[in-house]
Amino acid sequence: MTNLPLIVLIPFIGAMLPPWAVMTGRPWSAWVTGGVALAALALTLVPGLSVMQGETLIWQQDWFPALGLSLAFRLDGLALLFVLMILIIGLLVILYARWYLAEQDPMGRFYAYLLLFMGSMLGLVMSENLIQLLMFWELTSISSFLLISYWRQRADARQGARIALAITGGGGLALLGGILLLGEIVGSYDLSAVLAAGKSIHADPLYVPALVLILLGVFTKSAQFPFHFWLPHAMAAPTPVSAYLHSATMVKAGVFLLARLFPALSGSEAWTWIVAPVGLLTLLIGAYNAFFKHDLKGLLAYSTISHLGLITLLFGIGTPLAAVAGVFHIMNHATFKASLFMAAGIIDHEAGTRDMRRLAGLWKFMPQTGLLAMIAAAAMAGVPLLNGFLSKEMFFEKTVYMASFAESFWLLPVLATIAGALAVAYSLRFIHDVFFNGTPTDLPRTPHDPSRWMLVPVEVLVVICIAVGILPSLTFGPLLGVAVGAVLQAPAPDYSLKVWHGFTPALGMSMLALAGGALIYALRQPLFRWHETLFGRIDARALFEGFERALLWSSRALDQLIHRRSLQFMLVVLISAALIMLARGFWGMPITGSATLLPIDPVSTSAAICLAAGAIGTVVWHRQRWTALVMLSVVGLIIALAFVKLSAPDLALTQLSVEMVTIVLLLLALHFLPKQTPRESSLPRQLRDLLLALLGGGATGLLTWAVLTRPYDSISGWMLENSVPGGGGTNVVNVILVDFRGFDTLGEITVLAIAAIGIYMMLRDLRLDVPLTDDQGRPWSSDVNPLILATFSRLLLPLALMVAVFIFLRGHNLPGGGFIAGLIISVALVMQYLANGIAWTKLRLSGELHPLIGLGLLLATATGLGSWYFGYPFLTSTHGHLHLPVIGDLELASVMLFDLGVMMVVIGITLVILIRLGRIGLVQRRVAIDDSDLNR
């Protein structure tokens, strides 16, 4: 079972290899990609054999057990079926693309995208946790967007990718809501629990909303009506992408979810009356449009929509035998449709066009391609002795059953036969209009059969179509049995895969569909004219783009109404909304609660007065930047003293350290700004802003007072009780940061790291003129690095580093920790830059500092991953004591490594920002000094 995560992980890791391998040669990129897919397939074999024996394998690693989140993979019959389709057809597509892509096409990028999509699909079908499934669901949308827009220089590729992402992304949002509701109903997001809770799900009032939201995700992903129009526009992708995504993988993700959640959601009237009609409409609309398409890939796209509708209809019927037919057709459709897409790509590759009005008589030019395409198209039409015939017979049989079950369903077999006839008609178009029916017209290239290896993937798939059609029980039979058992979560019903069942209504419907399809094809010319007259101008893309324009117009109108380029106006909107919500929440309630208030002492009163004076002084003298900065530092100092009074030395140390770093940062920034700010607001605006500030500040004060004067249950008691036994430290603040809330800390330092990298990139090439004089025209001192400051800063550096190490080591039991230690080291090193100059310090502190940020993040993340290795949830800590001679007991805790990572990130972030800000204008300063030296 340990192989399960590796099966998913290998394609993601392998996606980094093709761009590197292509530098050795284009073929190497294909072989490396094929090796990655083959390695994942090899890892599937051993667990796959266990699944074929009826086992369900689950690998699970807790992530957030309290929230029901875990990293979990499941391999049962249904997952195995899709894993084999993803990997085997993926291998064939990799081989096919090697000869399909032109010399100017970046092959490394193509294969990297393909492996990214392959890993996303594998993760989707193997997910045991529904939240995890949703993550991989969205990854398939993103990676398919990259594949569809692979030819980014083409407008149709960019547009098709955008439409596909908009539709499937919107469905993903609906699916998120449905999964959250489903988890709320069941009390767990584990698939095993959800599949076993079918009765409780159906009895819950949230069942119908959850069902509708999940089905919206399914219908958008599998191109069901009315969301089907994105799939034909995705045909702008290279044909290998269409053969992979739009036959066997991405479009199958929706019907996979139907099958996966079948035991939990099916069996209700809501399921039947939503899923079945949508499937039936999609079946008919797709088949109808496929017949009238002149583009080969357009025909195959709409035929795919039709067959997906057939599968959806079967699952919508909801009986066990209908589910058998649905799973069987998933398997058959993947084989014949992938081969047909590849054949269409070969025709386009060799003839230079896919327009069937220009293609004709290609049999004499491309006999091998023609033979393979004819067999695959016959399978799509449901011709006997091919795999498509067997699953279509099952489908016809289920429609007859439904008609006999209820008289109101008599129309279902009629419509199914019409859809079958249309399938025969568009299959005949693919065969006769391309390979026979006259001679080709104005082809860009002289057609011929492709290279041998380009035909091999098509041949493999066509052989499967024939083998399954003749010997279904020996080929697909065993895999179908375990897949159906996984879908039903029960033993599979009795069904037969015999080629001949005698003269049955289903056989009669098949024969009628074959004859009707031939008749429709014979009448194609008048039907083309009729269709063009009635429906030729209907374009779903135009409707979508009109809706998109209306949505953008509405959003712009709302944005113009609310959002202005005035900070004051936006503050009015923000504070007004906050005041309205605050008044609504406390309406009719007393402001003061029942909690006992602390006595007022003179020291606290004095500190509060100083705090208020500092805040008011900052506002009054805000135009004098230096004075305002001094007043602001008073506020920071009083807050640090307040932390000391409230017995929070860790917070006080942090506040003081941050205050020092912030002051240096602001001093560096103010160096490039005028000493005073100009007057920009009139007196009425100032009065308005004053009123707004008083309202906002007063409301915030009242809210704080209302909260603090009410009794509440705090989690601090639990933290104090578990700090030593759970975290191994007596400093509860540090234990919270690196253990109890370690994931929060990891997220916070990640955000800080991203911000620091952004600042680094913005400041890297920025050059500003440094003022050579102060605001009164006096030149700056020529003593750039005062001797006393430089000497003392060098002497204090070892002491500061020693203090930082001491603060870091004691942080788990006494005030301190990695964050404070990192700030102390940062201040000490910044002092070297300020006192000794950038050039002097750079010689002694060589190398860029931003890699330190990455190393710190890696170390903090590795600490969390290490707990996984020992079978515990992410970031679970451990601690113990080591007895050393002379020294005695030495406490060791795994969170020390996490804290070290935090310290490295803090040092890297602080120094990167401050040093880069200090280097602005360095070139101009050197030039000015050199010029002054020359003048002397």
mmCIF file of all heavy atoms in Angstrom, residues 564-569 572 623 679-693:
data_model
loop_
_atom_site.group_PDB
_atom_site.id
_atom_site.type_symbol
_atom_site.label_atom_id
_atom_site.label_comp_id
_atom_site.label_asym_id
_atom_site.label_seq_id
_atom_site.Cartn_x
_atom_site.Cartn_y
_atom_site.Cartn_z
ATOM 1 N N ARG A 564 -13.396 53.788 -5.639
ATOM 2 C CA ARG A 564 -12.880 55.034 -6.209
ATOM 3 C C ARG A 564 -11.368 55.090 -6.000
ATOM 4 O O ARG A 564 -10.811 54.327 -5.208
ATOM 5 C CB ARG A 564 -13.519 56.246 -5.520
ATOM 6 C CG ARG A 564 -15.043 56.241 -5.530
ATOM 7 C CD ARG A 564 -15.618 56.586 -6.883
ATOM 8 N NE ARG A 564 -17.069 56.461 -6.891
ATOM 9 C CZ ARG A 564 -17.895 57.425 -6.500
ATOM 10 N NH1 ARG A 564 -17.413 58.563 -6.053
ATOM 11 N NH2 ARG A 564 -19.205 57.233 -6.548
ATOM 12 N N ARG A 565 -10.744 55.990 -6.692
ATOM 13 C CA ARG A 565 -9.307 56.146 -6.540
ATOM 14 C C ARG A 565 -8.968 57.070 -5.370
ATOM 15 O O ARG A 565 -7.934 57.729 -5.372
ATOM 16 C CB ARG A 565 -8.706 56.707 -7.828
ATOM 17 C CG ARG A 565 -8.786 55.749 -9.001
ATOM 18 C CD ARG A 565 -8.082 56.315 -10.221
ATOM 19 N NE ARG A 565 -8.091 55.372 -11.335
ATOM 20 C CZ ARG A 565 -7.537 55.603 -12.527
ATOM 21 N NH1 ARG A 565 -6.926 56.758 -12.747
ATOM 22 N NH2 ARG A 565 -7.606 54.705 -13.470
ATOM 23 N N SER A 566 -9.832 57.114 -4.422
ATOM 24 C CA SER A 566 -9.631 57.941 -3.236
ATOM 25 C C SER A 566 -9.578 57.027 -2.022
ATOM 26 O O SER A 566 -10.534 56.299 -1.744
ATOM 27 C CB SER A 566 -10.774 58.954 -3.095
ATOM 28 O OG SER A 566 -10.726 59.572 -1.825
ATOM 29 N N LEU A 567 -8.471 57.090 -1.314
ATOM 30 C CA LEU A 567 -8.336 56.275 -0.117
ATOM 31 C C LEU A 567 -9.357 56.683 0.931
ATOM 32 O O LEU A 567 -9.928 55.833 1.623
ATOM 33 C CB LEU A 567 -6.914 56.398 0.437
ATOM 34 C CG LEU A 567 -6.605 55.588 1.700
ATOM 35 C CD1 LEU A 567 -6.796 54.101 1.444
ATOM 36 C CD2 LEU A 567 -5.187 55.860 2.176
ATOM 37 N N GLN A 568 -9.626 57.984 1.017
ATOM 38 C CA GLN A 568 -10.601 58.454 2.006
ATOM 39 C C GLN A 568 -11.987 57.886 1.707
ATOM 40 O O GLN A 568 -12.717 57.482 2.621
ATOM 41 C CB GLN A 568 -10.649 59.988 2.024
ATOM 42 C CG GLN A 568 -9.418 60.630 2.635
ATOM 43 C CD GLN A 568 -8.324 60.869 1.607
ATOM 44 O OE1 GLN A 568 -8.383 60.320 0.501
ATOM 45 N NE2 GLN A 568 -7.332 61.654 1.976
ATOM 46 N N PHE A 569 -12.373 57.887 0.424
ATOM 47 C CA PHE A 569 -13.694 57.362 0.077
ATOM 48 C C PHE A 569 -13.790 55.874 0.407
ATOM 49 O O PHE A 569 -14.810 55.402 0.916
ATOM 50 C CB PHE A 569 -13.976 57.585 -1.409
ATOM 51 C CG PHE A 569 -15.325 57.078 -1.847
ATOM 52 C CD1 PHE A 569 -16.470 57.831 -1.653
ATOM 53 C CD2 PHE A 569 -15.445 55.826 -2.436
ATOM 54 C CE1 PHE A 569 -17.708 57.362 -2.041
ATOM 55 C CE2 PHE A 569 -16.681 55.342 -2.827
ATOM 56 C CZ PHE A 569 -17.822 56.117 -2.632
ATOM 57 N N VAL A 572 -14.352 55.449 3.930
ATOM 58 C CA VAL A 572 -15.737 55.746 4.265
ATOM 59 C C VAL A 572 -16.600 54.513 4.062
ATOM 60 O O VAL A 572 -17.413 54.128 4.912
ATOM 61 C CB VAL A 572 -16.258 56.924 3.417
ATOM 62 C CG1 VAL A 572 -17.779 57.059 3.563
ATOM 63 C CG2 VAL A 572 -15.585 58.217 3.832
ATOM 64 N N ARG A 623 2.445 65.736 8.916
ATOM 65 C CA ARG A 623 3.105 66.331 7.759
ATOM 66 C C ARG A 623 4.613 66.426 7.963
ATOM 67 O O ARG A 623 5.362 66.506 6.989
ATOM 68 C CB ARG A 623 2.527 67.717 7.480
ATOM 69 C CG ARG A 623 1.039 67.690 7.158
ATOM 70 C CD ARG A 623 0.550 69.028 6.636
ATOM 71 N NE ARG A 623 -0.897 69.031 6.536
ATOM 72 C CZ ARG A 623 -1.585 68.432 5.554
ATOM 73 N NH1 ARG A 623 -0.920 67.787 4.610
ATOM 74 N NH2 ARG A 623 -2.895 68.459 5.543
ATOM 75 N N ARG A 679 0.155 69.983 1.717
ATOM 76 C CA ARG A 679 -1.242 69.997 2.110
ATOM 77 C C ARG A 679 -2.092 69.588 0.914
ATOM 78 O O ARG A 679 -2.029 70.208 -0.138
ATOM 79 C CB ARG A 679 -1.652 71.373 2.611
ATOM 80 C CG ARG A 679 -0.982 71.766 3.915
ATOM 81 C CD ARG A 679 -1.504 73.102 4.417
ATOM 82 N NE ARG A 679 -0.922 73.440 5.702
ATOM 83 C CZ ARG A 679 -1.423 73.052 6.867
ATOM 84 N NH1 ARG A 679 -2.544 72.335 6.885
ATOM 85 N NH2 ARG A 679 -0.847 73.391 7.987
ATOM 86 N N GLU A 680 -2.922 68.554 1.091
ATOM 87 C CA GLU A 680 -3.720 68.033 -0.011
ATOM 88 C C GLU A 680 -5.212 68.066 0.275
ATOM 89 O O GLU A 680 -6.021 67.891 -0.633
ATOM 90 C CB GLU A 680 -3.302 66.590 -0.324
ATOM 91 C CG GLU A 680 -1.862 66.465 -0.776
ATOM 92 C CD GLU A 680 -1.440 65.019 -0.952
ATOM 93 O OE1 GLU A 680 -2.155 64.144 -0.442
ATOM 94 O OE2 GLU A 680 -0.414 64.764 -1.605
ATOM 95 N N SER A 681 -5.609 68.247 1.525
ATOM 96 C CA SER A 681 -7.019 68.188 1.898
ATOM 97 C C SER A 681 -7.505 69.567 2.330
ATOM 98 O O SER A 681 -6.819 70.279 3.075
ATOM 99 C CB SER A 681 -7.240 67.186 3.034
ATOM 100 O OG SER A 681 -6.843 65.895 2.635
ATOM 101 N N SER A 682 -8.708 69.894 1.875
ATOM 102 C CA SER A 682 -9.337 71.141 2.290
ATOM 103 C C SER A 682 -9.913 70.973 3.694
ATOM 104 O O SER A 682 -9.999 69.863 4.225
ATOM 105 C CB SER A 682 -10.434 71.530 1.306
ATOM 106 O OG SER A 682 -11.432 70.527 1.268
ATOM 107 N N LEU A 683 -10.349 72.092 4.285
ATOM 108 C CA LEU A 683 -10.900 72.049 5.637
ATOM 109 C C LEU A 683 -12.146 71.166 5.727
ATOM 110 O O LEU A 683 -12.265 70.376 6.673
ATOM 111 C CB LEU A 683 -11.207 73.472 6.127
ATOM 112 C CG LEU A 683 -11.778 73.568 7.550
ATOM 113 C CD1 LEU A 683 -10.783 72.995 8.554
ATOM 114 C CD2 LEU A 683 -12.124 75.028 7.880
ATOM 115 N N PRO A 684 -13.101 71.225 4.777
ATOM 116 C CA PRO A 684 -14.255 70.312 4.869
ATOM 117 C C PRO A 684 -13.847 68.837 4.838
ATOM 118 O O PRO A 684 -14.413 68.026 5.572
ATOM 119 C CB PRO A 684 -15.096 70.698 3.644
ATOM 120 C CG PRO A 684 -14.733 72.116 3.361
ATOM 121 C CD PRO A 684 -13.279 72.212 3.703
ATOM 122 N N ARG A 685 -12.865 68.534 4.005
ATOM 123 C CA ARG A 685 -12.409 67.141 3.967
ATOM 124 C C ARG A 685 -11.738 66.741 5.275
ATOM 125 O O ARG A 685 -11.892 65.612 5.738
ATOM 126 C CB ARG A 685 -11.445 66.935 2.798
ATOM 127 C CG ARG A 685 -12.128 66.872 1.440
ATOM 128 C CD ARG A 685 -11.160 66.392 0.388
ATOM 129 N NE ARG A 685 -11.824 66.184 -0.887
ATOM 130 C CZ ARG A 685 -11.234 65.634 -1.961
ATOM 131 N NH1 ARG A 685 -9.969 65.251 -1.878
ATOM 132 N NH2 ARG A 685 -11.899 65.485 -3.079
ATOM 133 N N GLN A 686 -10.990 67.665 5.850
ATOM 134 C CA GLN A 686 -10.343 67.351 7.112
ATOM 135 C C GLN A 686 -11.380 67.107 8.203
ATOM 136 O O GLN A 686 -11.231 66.200 9.034
ATOM 137 C CB GLN A 686 -9.399 68.484 7.512
ATOM 138 C CG GLN A 686 -8.163 68.604 6.626
ATOM 139 C CD GLN A 686 -7.271 69.760 7.035
ATOM 140 O OE1 GLN A 686 -7.647 70.583 7.869
ATOM 141 N NE2 GLN A 686 -6.088 69.837 6.432
ATOM 142 N N LEU A 687 -12.432 67.920 8.216
ATOM 143 C CA LEU A 687 -13.488 67.710 9.193
ATOM 144 C C LEU A 687 -14.199 66.383 8.961
ATOM 145 O O LEU A 687 -14.545 65.675 9.918
ATOM 146 C CB LEU A 687 -14.487 68.870 9.127
ATOM 147 C CG LEU A 687 -13.939 70.237 9.567
ATOM 148 C CD1 LEU A 687 -14.987 71.313 9.341
ATOM 149 C CD2 LEU A 687 -13.499 70.192 11.031
ATOM 150 N N ARG A 688 -14.424 66.052 7.682
ATOM 151 C CA ARG A 688 -15.045 64.759 7.378
ATOM 152 C C ARG A 688 -14.168 63.611 7.859
ATOM 153 O O ARG A 688 -14.649 62.650 8.479
ATOM 154 C CB ARG A 688 -15.273 64.640 5.873
ATOM 155 C CG ARG A 688 -15.937 63.343 5.427
ATOM 156 C CD ARG A 688 -15.649 63.046 3.965
ATOM 157 N NE ARG A 688 -14.218 62.800 3.745
ATOM 158 C CZ ARG A 688 -13.683 62.556 2.540
ATOM 159 N NH1 ARG A 688 -14.455 62.567 1.459
ATOM 160 N NH2 ARG A 688 -12.390 62.329 2.416
ATOM 161 N N ASP A 689 -12.862 63.726 7.573
ATOM 162 C CA ASP A 689 -11.950 62.660 7.989
ATOM 163 C C ASP A 689 -11.872 62.561 9.509
ATOM 164 O O ASP A 689 -11.765 61.469 10.076
ATOM 165 C CB ASP A 689 -10.555 62.915 7.411
ATOM 166 C CG ASP A 689 -10.540 62.827 5.893
ATOM 167 O OD1 ASP A 689 -11.499 62.247 5.328
ATOM 168 O OD2 ASP A 689 -9.572 63.323 5.280
ATOM 169 N N LEU A 690 -11.927 63.713 10.190
ATOM 170 C CA LEU A 690 -11.905 63.699 11.649
ATOM 171 C C LEU A 690 -13.135 62.986 12.197
ATOM 172 O O LEU A 690 -13.041 62.156 13.116
ATOM 173 C CB LEU A 690 -11.847 65.135 12.187
ATOM 174 C CG LEU A 690 -11.927 65.295 13.714
ATOM 175 C CD1 LEU A 690 -10.748 64.605 14.385
ATOM 176 C CD2 LEU A 690 -11.980 66.772 14.092
ATOM 177 N N LEU A 691 -14.298 63.318 11.636
ATOM 178 C CA LEU A 691 -15.528 62.657 12.065
ATOM 179 C C LEU A 691 -15.458 61.156 11.810
ATOM 180 O O LEU A 691 -15.837 60.338 12.667
ATOM 181 C CB LEU A 691 -16.724 63.267 11.336
ATOM 182 C CG LEU A 691 -18.084 62.628 11.622
ATOM 183 C CD1 LEU A 691 -18.444 62.776 13.111
ATOM 184 C CD2 LEU A 691 -19.168 63.243 10.734
ATOM 185 N N LEU A 692 -14.952 60.795 10.649
ATOM 186 C CA LEU A 692 -14.846 59.375 10.305
ATOM 187 C C LEU A 692 -13.884 58.660 11.246
ATOM 188 O O LEU A 692 -14.153 57.541 11.708
ATOM 189 C CB LEU A 692 -14.370 59.238 8.854
ATOM 190 C CG LEU A 692 -14.459 57.862 8.218
ATOM 191 C CD1 LEU A 692 -15.905 57.415 8.102
ATOM 192 C CD2 LEU A 692 -13.811 57.888 6.836
ATOM 193 N N ALA A 693 -12.766 59.305 11.558
ATOM 194 C CA ALA A 693 -11.790 58.693 12.466
ATOM 195 C C ALA A 693 -12.378 58.529 13.863
ATOM 196 O O ALA A 693 -12.179 57.502 14.529
ATOM 197 C CB ALA A 693 -10.525 59.548 12.516
#
